[in-house]
């Protein structure tokens, strides 16, 4: 009878009502020592089973976690979109990188460079309603290329450069209207639109410098080499950046002597634990398209005639230019005058030396109030280190076959230009029938302009240090857009990330091993505890 009773209470205790049953047994007058020993026996028998069971379960769970963590999961990619709204055209770049390797250098890939059909956005001042159509094709491409579930976390930026800077100087309201229209259109997409703004010339120069040095692996490589304090001259490591656009041009580099007195504040960067003191300057109106207008405006003023014999175009080439287009421009309006003709006929003569002479007039060397200057009395330290030249520097020199490292002197470039400019337009036009006429007709001018600008910067005996570049290491194009995105998404840390003490597999193995030890210790502990309390009894 008693046995039946006790076995009944044991059964119920297994369902969690043990305490109530035990209390009722006590009230029925069983001795308390008898009660305790039964409870202990119950626990020592079932407790071991429960502990063993828990142990096996935890082991399986730990192994499962370890295996899941270590199996080859597909990489977690991130994307970013940057529109380069230049003076002559807009390009949309899509970048892709692995989220795990976010702080490593050189791991961002440009997966798309979508050229927006049409002119630069500053041309939409009087037809902002056309902006959605203008941008929609490339945005459609972005929707196609970026997986849908990533859209909401993909940042979109639009940076406008010199074309919009000039429009803002001419008509601030127009520039604002264009940016507002761009903003509302880009906001209508499921991406994470951040902003559409006009970037400054210094930003354009600095981000171009960051881009090339990031892609060339110049920023982070040092971490494995030496102790930062032992390196004296960081410019030996980084490349200067030369960007030539249609409306402005930038030069950015780490000068040899950063202690020289400067009227312009040097830029200070701290990247991957290193400090950089960078000189950057952006020359508005000295992009190649504006420089051509400037040259034509000056020529027209100096020899006012309806026909201009122009040595910067091939013999036999002709072009008509509206006088109003030539002078209704922030860069040329200081030369505005009254002319008895409203169209200018340009006739090419193809003479490189004469062309160069005229182009030198665009760079007056006025009085320099500082330790060293470039043209227009602008402070510039002597050029120093290796340089990467991109955008129109590259397009022009690539076409002229002058980007090879075998072109080591300025004389080699001069020889090539003399010969190229003198070629009749008819012959050039048929030889390169597939090249856009606007570009083809201007390579004589732009080649001469590149050479003259570099002479003005004092690269004459320094030519072999200029490296014309486009796509770097097959990762991404040289230009300001990548540096802009890297900065805005905090992908370049100021300090070097501390390496983790263990690799992931080591970490998981250690976790499993320690958990096992813990489980064993716990089980052994419980057994010993139960055994000792049993013997005590
Ligand atoms: N394939 C090419 N050949 C020659 N010139 C080119 C080519 N592609 C672009 N360009 C020129 O490169 C320049 C790019 O300038 P852009 O970025 O639009 O202006 P900015 O940077 O001054 O705002 C323009 O002068 C354009 O005509
Ligand atoms: Ca540009």
């Amino acid at each position: 009878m008693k046995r039946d009773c006790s076995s009944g209470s044991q059964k119920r205790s297994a369902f969690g009502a043990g305490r109530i049953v035990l209390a009722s047994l006590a009230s029925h007058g069983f001795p308390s020592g008898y009660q305790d020993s039964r409870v202990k026996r119950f626990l020592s028998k079932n407790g071991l089973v429960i502990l063993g069971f828990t142990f096996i379960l935890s082991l399986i769970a730990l192994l499962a976690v370890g295996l899941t963590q270590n199996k080859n999961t597909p990489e977690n990619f991130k994307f970013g979109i940057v529109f380069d709204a230049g003076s002559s055209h807009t390009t949309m770049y899509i970048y892709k990188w692995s989220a795990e390797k976010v702080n490593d250098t050189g791991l961002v890939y440009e997966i798309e460079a979508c050229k927006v059909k049409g002119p630069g956005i500053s041309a939409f001042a009087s037809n902002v309603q056309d902006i959605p159509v203008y941008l929609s094709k490339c945005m459609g491409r972005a929707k196609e290329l970026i997986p849908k579930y990533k859209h909401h976390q993909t940042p979109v930026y639009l940076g406008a450069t010199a074309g919009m800077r000039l429009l803002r100087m001419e008509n601030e309201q127009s520039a604002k209207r264009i940016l507002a229209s761009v903003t509302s259109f880009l906001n209508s997409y499921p991406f994470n639109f951040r902003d559409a703004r006009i970037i400054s010339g210094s930003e354009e120069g600095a981000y171009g410098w960051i881009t090339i040095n990031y892609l060339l692996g110049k920023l982070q490589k040092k971490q494995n080499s030496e102790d930062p304090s032992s390196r004296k001259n960081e410019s030996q490591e980084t490349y200067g950046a030369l960007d030539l656009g249609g409306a402005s041009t930038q030069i950015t580099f780490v000068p040899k002597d950063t202690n020289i007195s400067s009227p312009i504040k040097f830029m200070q960067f701290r990247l991957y634990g290193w400090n950089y003191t960078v000189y950057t300057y952006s020359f508005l109106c000295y992009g190649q398209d504006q420089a051509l207008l400037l040259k034509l405006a000056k020529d027209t003023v100096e020899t006012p005639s309806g026909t201009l014999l122009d040595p910067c175009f091939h013999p036999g080439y002709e072009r008509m230019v509206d006088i109003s287009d030539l002078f209704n421009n922030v860069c040329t309006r200081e030369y505005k005058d009254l002319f008895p003709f409203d169209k200018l006929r340009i006739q090419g003569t193809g003479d490189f030396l004469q062309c160069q002479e005229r182009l030198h007039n665009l760079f007056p060397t006025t009085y320099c109030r500082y330790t060293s200057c470039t043209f227009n009395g602008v402070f510039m330290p002597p050029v120093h280190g290796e340089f990467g030249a991109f955008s129109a520097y590259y397009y022009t020199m690539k076409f002229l076959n002058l980007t090879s490292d075998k072109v080591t002197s300025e004389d080699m470039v001069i020889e090539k230009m003399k010969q190229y400019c003198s070629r009749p337009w008819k012959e050039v036009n048929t030889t390169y029938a597939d090249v856009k006429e606007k570009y083809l007709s201007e390579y004589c001018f732009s080649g001469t302009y590149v050479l003259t600008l570099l002479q003005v910067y004092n690269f004459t005996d320094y030519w072999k240090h200029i490296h014309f570049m486009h796509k770097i290491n097959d990762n991404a194009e040289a230009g300001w857009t990548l540096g802009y995105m890297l900065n805005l998404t905090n992908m370049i840390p100021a300090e070097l990330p501390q390496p983790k003490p263990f690799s992931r597999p080591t970490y998981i193995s250690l976790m499993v091993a320690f958990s096992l030890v813990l489980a064993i210790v716990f089980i052994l502990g419980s057994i010993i505890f139960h055994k000792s309390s049993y013997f005590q009894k």
Side-chain angles (χ1 to χ4, degrees):
M1 203 35 202
K2 271 178 200 166
R3 248 176 208 276
D4 283 345
C5 260
S6 70
S7 72
S9 71
Q10 271 180 0
K11 263 180 214 158
R12 277 198 270 168
S13 73
F15 287 97
R19 249 200 261 155
I20 301 164
V21 177
L22 288 175
S24 72
L25 276 175
S27 67
H28 279 86
F30 291 110
S32 66
Y34 174 79
Q35 258 176 50
D36 282 356
S37 68
R38 288 195 69 97
V39 171
K40 279 179 186 158
R41 226 176 294 147
F42 162 75
L43 283 176
S44 67
K45 234 174 161 188
N46 294 300
L48 265 181
V49 174
I50 293 166
L51 281 173
F53 194 64
T54 317
F55 168 75
I56 291 166
L57 270 185
S58 347
L59 185 65
I60 292 171
L62 274 168
L63 287 174
V65 168
L67 288 173
T68 319
Q69 198 74 8
N70 287 308
K71 82 167 190 244
N72 282 337
T73 43
E75 269 188 293
N76 178 20
F77 284 111
K78 288 193 169 191
F79 298 85
I81 302 172
V82 187
F83 279 89
D84 173 357
S87 63
S88 68
H89 68 289
T90 300
T91 307
M92 180 199 73
Y93 294 97
I94 302 181
Y95 299 107
K96 178 180 177 180
W97 65 94
S98 158
E100 280 85 33
K101 297 172 187 163
V102 68
N103 285 329
D104 292 353
T105 191
L107 283 157
V108 175
Y109 291 87
E110 174 192 309
I111 59 161
E112 174 79 0
C114 179
K115 287 201 183 320
V116 175
K117 211 165 167 256
I121 55 165
S122 52
F124 287 84
S126 50
N127 49 325
V128 283
Q129 73 282 359
D130 294 341
I131 287 178
V133 177
Y134 173 69
L135 296 175
S136 62
K137 218 168 172 181
C138 283
M139 283 307 279
R141 191 83 188 111
K143 276 176 87 176
E144 257 169 52
L145 287 169
I146 301 173
K148 210 170 173 181
Y149 72 100
K150 294 273 181 196
H151 286 183
H152 68 285
Q153 46 170 284
T154 300
V156 180
Y157 304 95
L158 181 138
T161 50
M164 286 293 280
R165 273 177 226 140
L166 291 175
L167 178 65
R168 184 173 55 187
M169 287 164 77
E170 214 168 274
N171 186 339
E172 200 173 343
Q173 284 313 312
S174 288
K176 278 188 177 157
R177 267 203 307 275
I178 289 174
L179 290 176
S181 162
V182 166
T183 300
S184 88
F185 177 69
L186 293 180
N187 243 330
S188 69
Y189 280 81
F191 299 107
N192 176 11
F193 172 72
R194 297 281 179 88
D195 69 2
R197 53 181 278 261
I198 301 172
I199 64 165
S200 71
S202 320
E203 284 179 276
E204 195 177 357
Y207 291 129
W209 181 88
I210 290 179
T211 300
I212 65 164
N213 285 293
Y214 175 86
L215 292 172
L216 292 169
K218 298 287 171 195
L219 303 177
Q220 213 187 349
K221 216 167 107 186
K222 293 174 201 156
Q223 66 171 309
N224 306 322
S225 53
E226 307 154 36
D227 163 21
S229 56
S230 71
R231 183 176 292 277
K232 290 192 182 66
N233 198 345
E234 300 194 346
S235 62
Q236 283 171 1
E237 284 285 310
T238 57
Y239 268 49
L242 292 162
D243 184 348
L244 179 58
S248 76
T249 187
Q250 290 73 233
I251 178 165
T252 311
F253 61 99
V254 175
K256 186 173 185 189
D257 181 3
T258 50
N259 295 319
I260 45 175
S261 69
S262 155
I264 314 160
K265 259 185 135 186
F266 286 124
M267 288 194 138
Q268 302 287 344
F269 300 125
R270 186 163 177 84
L271 312 168
Y272 298 110
W274 288 80
N275 289 322
Y276 297 94
T277 303
V278 181
Y279 166 84
T280 186
Y281 200 90
S282 176
F283 297 91
L284 192 60
C285 299
Y286 282 88
Q288 57 177 13
D289 301 330
Q290 287 300 331
L292 177 58
L293 290 181
L294 209 58
K295 184 199 94 71
L296 293 175
K298 270 178 152 256
D299 287 346
T300 311
V301 173
E302 281 160 22
T303 47
S305 143
T307 302
L308 175 72
L309 295 179
D310 197 325
C312 300
F313 289 98
H314 294 279
Y317 178 79
E318 275 204 18
R319 181 191 286 192
M320 297 300 287
V321 178
D322 284 341
I323 289 293
S324 57
D325 289 347
L326 198 54
F327 291 98
N328 282 345
N329 176 318
V330 178
C331 298
T332 54
R333 65 179 170 206
E334 65 172 295
Y335 300 105
K336 197 170 182 169
D337 211 336
L338 281 176
F339 300 100
F341 44 90
D342 54 13
K343 277 190 188 299
L344 175 73
R345 178 189 297 275
I346 298 170
Q347 285 182 342
T349 60
D351 187 325
F352 164 77
L353 289 176
Q354 276 186 21
C355 174
Q356 202 181 23
E357 207 182 301
R358 293 213 191 163
L359 289 186
H360 265 294
N361 293 335
L362 303 182
F363 302 100
T365 40
T366 49
Y367 173 67
C368 178
R369 292 189 290 146
Y370 317 105
T371 42
S372 59
C373 287
T374 179
F375 64 100
N376 280 345
V378 172
F379 166 74
M380 189 170 114
V383 288
H384 181 69
E386 299 299 304
F387 279 79
F390 45 91
S391 319
Y393 278 114
Y394 176 84
Y395 302 131
T396 301
M397 297 315 251
K398 179 74 189 161
F399 175 81
L400 296 166
N401 241 331
L402 290 167
T403 52
S404 152
D405 279 347
K406 290 189 189 108
V407 182
T408 50
S409 74
E410 199 190 79
D411 287 344
M412 292 167 85
V413 181
I414 291 174
E415 273 320 299
K416 172 79 197 202
M417 289 311 302
K418 275 185 189 164
Q419 179 257 322
Y420 177 73
C421 284
S422 67
R423 283 172 72 177
W425 169 242
K426 229 178 172 173
E427 181 212 304
V428 171
N429 201 16
T430 42
T431 314
Y432 307 103
D434 52 339
V435 179
K436 214 165 136 179
E437 190 177 319
K438 143 106 179 114
Y439 296 150
L440 189 63
S441 61
E442 291 177 11
Y443 282 129
C444 166
F445 161 78
S446 50
T448 314
Y449 184 69
V450 163
L451 186 75
T452 313
L453 182 58
L454 293 173
Q455 279 176 346
V456 171
Y457 285 157
N458 242 333
F459 277 99
T460 297
D461 298 321
Y462 210 66
W463 196 267
K464 60 174 182 293
H465 298 282
I466 304 169
H467 309 276
F468 294 95
M469 46 181 65
H470 184 52
K471 231 174 172 173
I472 301 178
N473 294 335
D474 241 16
N475 279 34
E477 226 174 88
W480 61 266
T481 49
L482 176 59
Y484 189 64
M485 189 196 70
L486 292 174
N487 186 47
L488 293 177
T489 52
N490 293 321
M491 275 165 70
I492 302 188
E495 302 302 331
L496 251 186
Q498 287 300 316
K500 292 214 169 83
F502 300 116
S503 69
R504 216 183 183 76
T506 318
Y507 168 74
I508 302 233
S509 317
L510 285 173
M511 289 293 286
V512 171
F514 284 132
S515 309
L516 275 174
V517 171
L518 268 177
I520 291 166
V521 168
F522 180 67
I523 289 165
L524 285 176
S526 338
I527 293 169
I528 292 164
F529 167 75
H530 285 293
K531 282 252 159 83
S532 63
S533 54
Y534 181 78
F535 286 125
Q536 257 171 32
K537 194 164 66 69

